[in-house]
Amino acid sequence: MELIQKIFDAGVVGAGGAGFPTYIKLNCKVEYLIINAAECEPLLETDKYLMRTKNMEIIKTIEEVGKIIEAKKLIIGLKAKYKEEIKQLIYAIEELNSKVELYFLENFYPAGDEQIMVYEITKRSIPSGGIPLDVGVVVSNVGTIVNIYDAMQDKPVIEKYITVVGEINHPSILKVPIGISILECIRACGGTTVENFKVILGGPIMGVLVDNDQIKERVITKTIGALIVIPSDHYIAKRKNASISHIINQAKTSCIQCSMCTDMCPRNLIGHKLRPHRIMRSVGMGECNEKILEESLICSECGVCELYACPMGLSPRMVNAYLKKRLREMGIRYENKQKETIAKKIREYRKVPTTRMISRLDLTKYKEKEIKGPIEVEVEKVCIPLSQHIGKPATPNIGVGDIVRKGQLIGQVKMGDFGANIHASIDGRVCEVSENIVIRSENNEVIS
């Protein structure tokens, strides 16, 4: 199919998650195509910006993607509070006479978790350890749809819109080249308001915390949608920096087995056999019950258990993340033995209001700041990772000293590989080829 080929050539991957290669995801036939536009985590504004400004492109692209996967239902899932975004999308749907529908979600966390969204819209629970395809659904992020639109125009993924908020002088939406450093993004927003800070790549809950000594080395990739700057002593930083030995010792001494973590777990509520309190007991009591511990493999790490539910301030999510890593290193994969997955009726009364979650995380003051932009940032140097996605890293097809153009293929995979192509995001000379490709602009040199 021509569109699949264009998506492959452009190196499109999931823009809002782990970076699943999009050309592989769309190699299917389904009933539903759902566009995730709910901005799962607090403070993120990028998808809302895209819906306001690229509404026509989004609707056109959804129609085209729907054709190749033969979806009967084309639905954008977004929060009912997004008034301006809804207005712009409705305008595009009417202008294009499109069959795309809007589904309005309540303002709860984690509404943007793809399995939660699938249940909200279809009332189908994805089996434990499964994917949306198991219930006839493909889910794609708004940013991914915009990248597919560009791919239709033969434009590769070389730029990224990101939200930069927190302890920032000018919170902004930036349009940046892939491979730009975090520090360049912070400078583009006027620098920080505090001297000692840490940066979260992604959302405040599920994002990766970067310490000061690592900030110079980290860059924006195809999957990073936000930078959140917080003081070094912020509540979130302290939690994310806690050692696993400390977390397990807390579980041993303080877990009261109240089961609130399980009762509030979004995945448990849609019918998955995930019981964080049983995992905490097994770890804390040294029981090492393998069947219980393997339940950690289906944890989405949304953080409701530790940031909202637990009255003792413990960290079931961090325990699950640690166990998942260990189990995968041992080659253990989750085996679903449930005959059917049925959501619990009580679920409707256990949705966590996003405003409450923001307050619990001590982020309210950042939510109230005006966000400017978009600001387009140009740089003299980029460091582009050959692996920005799940699966196989791209293989470089250029060498040190080569002159490259913006948009040129510099790292490639074969059609059928579980990976994605990589392209130059600026004009310049290649000065390093390793697991990253470093390109430096040469303003005084004519590139032909």
Side-chain angles (χ1 to χ4, degrees):
M1 295 180 188
E2 184 182 1
L3 181 52
I4 291 291
Q5 183 67 50
K6 285 178 177 286
I7 291 169
F8 168 77
D9 291 342
V12 181
V13 300
F20 198 100
T22 302
Y23 88 97
I24 292 177
K25 177 182 277 193
L26 298 182
N27 185 23
C28 62
K29 308 298 178 191
V30 294
E31 183 179 354
Y32 284 87
L33 170 61
I34 295 176
I35 308 307
N36 187 342
E39 294 278 29
C40 186
E41 292 210 47
L43 304 185
L44 308 191
E45 295 286 331
T46 309
D47 287 352
K48 291 163 68 177
Y49 166 76
L50 293 175
M51 286 186 284
R52 291 194 303 270
T53 60
K54 296 182 180 293
N55 53 335
M56 300 295 283
E57 294 96 324
I58 289 168
I59 299 302
K60 287 177 183 177
T61 307
I62 294 171
E63 289 276 3
E64 292 303 312
V65 172
K67 289 175 186 175
I68 65 172
I69 62 176
E70 298 180 9
K72 297 180 178 65
K73 291 276 190 177
L74 310 176
I75 300 175
I76 301 175
L78 73 169
K79 293 178 180 176
K81 70 170 188 169
Y82 294 171
K83 302 301 182 184
E84 184 59 29
E85 292 75 18
I86 290 169
K87 177 183 174 181
Q88 295 300 327
L89 290 172
I90 289 175
Y91 171 78
I93 290 168
E94 292 176 349
E95 281 291 302
L96 297 170
N97 194 27
S98 172
K99 66 176 184 179
V100 173
E101 303 173 41
L102 304 183
Y103 185 94
F104 304 129
L105 298 152
E106 300 167 72
N107 189 26
F108 71 93
Y109 177 81
D113 176 290
E114 73 172 11
Q115 299 213 12
I116 303 303
M117 181 167 285
V118 167
Y119 180 79
E120 286 284 321
I121 294 174
T122 69
K123 295 301 180 278
R124 300 173 185 176
S125 287
I126 297 168
S128 302
I131 59 175
L133 192 60
D134 295 332
V135 292
V137 180
V138 161
V139 180
S140 190
N141 174 266
V142 169
T144 309
I145 292 297
V146 171
N147 286 338
I148 294 174
Y149 177 83
D150 287 342
M152 290 162 59
Q153 322 306 315
D154 298 316
K155 297 177 183 177
V157 182
I158 59 172
E159 295 171 326
K160 184 77 177 177
Y161 288 93
I162 60 170
T163 305
V164 185
V165 291
E167 296 292 343
I168 288 288
N169 281 310
H170 306 297
S172 305
I173 300 282
L174 301 183
K175 182 182 180 183
V176 300
I178 299 295
I180 185 176
S181 74
I182 291 174
L183 285 179
E184 289 277 6
C185 295
I186 292 173
R187 289 191 196 107
C189 296
T192 64
T193 58
V194 293
E195 185 175 347
N196 297 314
F197 63 90
K198 296 183 186 295
V199 178
I200 302 173
L201 303 183
I205 302 169
M206 299 175 72
V208 176
L209 185 72
V210 180
D211 290 323
N212 285 21
D213 58 343
Q214 300 175 312
I215 287 176
K216 292 181 180 180
E217 301 171 7
R218 300 304 292 264
V219 298
I220 298 300
T221 67
K222 296 179 183 182
T223 60
I224 294 173
L227 300 180
I228 302 173
V229 178
I230 56 175
S232 295
D233 60 353
H234 192 276
Y235 170 71
I236 294 175
K238 290 178 180 178
R239 289 200 73 105
K240 286 183 178 284
N241 274 333
S243 69
I244 189 62
S245 59
H246 175 70
I247 290 168
I248 289 174
N249 284 335
Q250 280 186 316
K252 289 179 180 178
T253 58
S254 303
C255 181
I256 58 175
Q257 285 294 289
C258 66
S259 81
M260 284 298 294
C261 53
T262 297
D263 293 341
M264 295 296 295
C265 172
R267 291 294 177 90
N268 180 280
L269 289 167
I270 62 169
H272 292 187
K273 193 175 182 181
L274 172 57
R275 298 164 294 178
H277 78 287
R278 293 289 303 275
I279 295 171
M280 292 291 276
R281 175 177 174 174
S282 186
V283 169
M285 300 296 289
E287 296 174 354
C288 293
N289 186 323
E290 289 184 11
K291 290 183 178 179
I292 295 295
L293 297 181
E294 286 175 17
E295 292 180 13
S296 66
L297 290 167
I298 58 173
C299 172
S300 69
E301 299 180 39
C302 71
V304 167
C305 53
E306 66 181 31
L307 299 170
Y308 192 84
C310 182
M312 304 302 290
L314 305 181
S315 301
R317 174 179 69 120
M318 298 293 284
V319 170
N320 284 349
Y322 169 74
L323 291 172
K324 284 164 72 174
K325 183 180 179 182
R326 291 292 303 273
L327 291 169
R328 285 169 178 166
E329 288 172 352
M330 295 164 60
I332 296 173
R333 297 291 180 265
Y334 183 78
E335 184 179 349
N336 182 23
K337 295 182 180 179
Q338 289 179 260
K339 291 183 179 179
E340 56 182 337
T341 309
I342 301 174
K344 297 179 178 178
K345 292 181 180 179
I346 196 68
R347 176 183 178 275
E348 295 302 317
Y349 306 98
R350 290 185 176 164
K351 292 178 179 177
V352 177
T354 302
T355 50
R356 292 281 297 279
M357 184 64 87
I358 290 171
S359 179
R360 292 281 183 96
L361 295 173
D362 192 21
L363 297 173
T364 303
K365 71 173 182 176
Y366 305 136
K367 188 67 177 175
E368 294 169 350
K369 291 185 178 181
E370 179 186 357
I371 296 181
K372 300 179 179 180
I375 300 170
E376 190 162 352
V377 183
E378 296 183 358
V379 291
E380 297 296 311
K381 174 187 171 184
V382 290
C383 178
I384 305 174
L386 287 165
S387 180
Q388 301 181 38
H389 45 263
I390 288 177
K392 180 181 179 181
T395 301
N397 63 348
I398 41 79
V400 173
D402 288 352
I403 298 294
V404 296
R405 279 187 171 278
K406 181 178 179 179
Q408 179 180 330
L409 182 69
I410 58 174
Q412 61 190 113
V413 297
K414 295 177 181 177
M415 176 65 96
D417 283 348
F418 195 74
N421 290 326
I422 302 294
H423 302 78
S425 57
I426 63 171
D427 294 334
R429 185 181 296 275
V430 177
C431 53
E432 180 184 326
V433 178
S434 56
E435 58 188 21
N436 305 303
I437 294 178
V438 178
I439 303 170
R440 189 179 293 277
S441 174
E442 297 191 335
N443 292 326
N444 297 324
E445 180 174 342
V446 176
I447 298 175
S448 59

